[in-house]
Amino acid sequence: MVEAISPPRRHPVGLVHFALALGGFAIGTTEFATMSLLPIFAEGLRIDAPTAGHVISAYALGVVVGAPLLAVGAARFDRRTVLVVLMALFALGNGLSAIAPDFHSLLLFRFLSGLPHGAYFGIASLVAASLVPADRRTQAVGRIMLGLTVATIVGVPFANWLGQALGWRWGFGVVAVLAFATMAMVLAFVPRQPAEAGASPLRELQALRRPQVWLTLATGAIGFGGIFAVYTYLASTLTEVTRASGATVPMVLAIFGLGMTVGNLVVPRFADRALMPTAGLLLLWSAASLAIYTVSAEHLWSILPAVFAVGLGGALGTVLQTRLMDVAQDAQGLAAALNHSAFNTANALGPWLGGMAIAAGYGWTSTGWVGAALALGGFLFWAISVATPSGPVLRTAAAH
């Protein structure tokens, strides 16, 4: 459990959470806007769209690699200092992306930009949760995640508009500015949190010896993959199946982001009362809404509420973040950061399986069935986690 640390009076909790959420807004903007800017920078760098897609993969690889490495390396340092350094690295990566001279340089700089992603969210979540009573931890984590979800409504459309109006490089440049603003706000409002006594990289690595940590990560890596399976091909489904106009697509994407935002505002209140039951119900909700999406795609009036419902399932990330705080015991930093490695694994798994279904001739709407199957796969790991007696297993693992 995370001990509550009372912030100084000059650091109101709301401002601390806002400062941390701003970093999430910057990260969410660059992660999702890169997908929408893909045709623009592909043309600018004179490469085809499939090749340009490797830029997105490079960022995701940076997240998967950077989350554990940076979280373990930061174990002995003050958390506020770590957050500032991570945002500085993030600003550097995006700034360099904005001036990348060629495709291979852009690949390297997007990988660099992805390195601090998971560690930032993990450590920011720990700081946010430490400033509130134990029964409000998930709500605190949800406020940090709001930065990412609001980015899908505001940040991504703005970055896309900027990229179209002034060039794709400006889309990355504005994210670098947001990162510098986050650094300033973190220094101004986030209280110092020295490392706990005995904190070390070796102690952080103990998290990897706990079965419940792996079960929680598997729940997210598979269960969340369903949402990405649908989101990745949503624009194509809207134009090819729903026959919606191109101008309608951003509105529907914003409704998805609105669903994620509402989910992160509402669901944590239930999770703070019953964490694991809420996670299980969210997975079942996702399975049902993804299946409904499949049969509602022909009409705009029916696909809109389905997309909103799918977005609500995105609150799973917040719930599992708190779950990892519980099962990681004294290896909080690594476990919290690995949550985002798991979700970037989902970001690779869902689109890959969805693409296979489309390529096999099952149609654009088949991504919903793929997503429902992945959500149920996540539910299976959730059920195993619930059925596994975590107490004795965790004590045994910690004793070795």
Side-chain angles (χ1 to χ4, degrees), residues 111 148 166 190 315 318 349:
F111 175 80
L148 190 149
L166 302 177
V190 177
T318 298
L349 179 65

Side-chain angles (χ1 to χ4, degrees), residues 24 28 51 67 73 120 159 162 184 207 345 368 380 392:
T51 302
Y120 177 85
L162 196 64
T345 301
L380 175 62

Side-chain angles (χ1 to χ4, degrees), residues 15-25 83 120 124 127-128 144 182 186 190:
L15 282 175
V16 175
H17 288 172
F18 179 81
L20 298 173
L22 181 60
F25 180 82
L83 289 171
Y120 177 85
V127 172
I144 307 308
T182 301
V186 168
V190 177

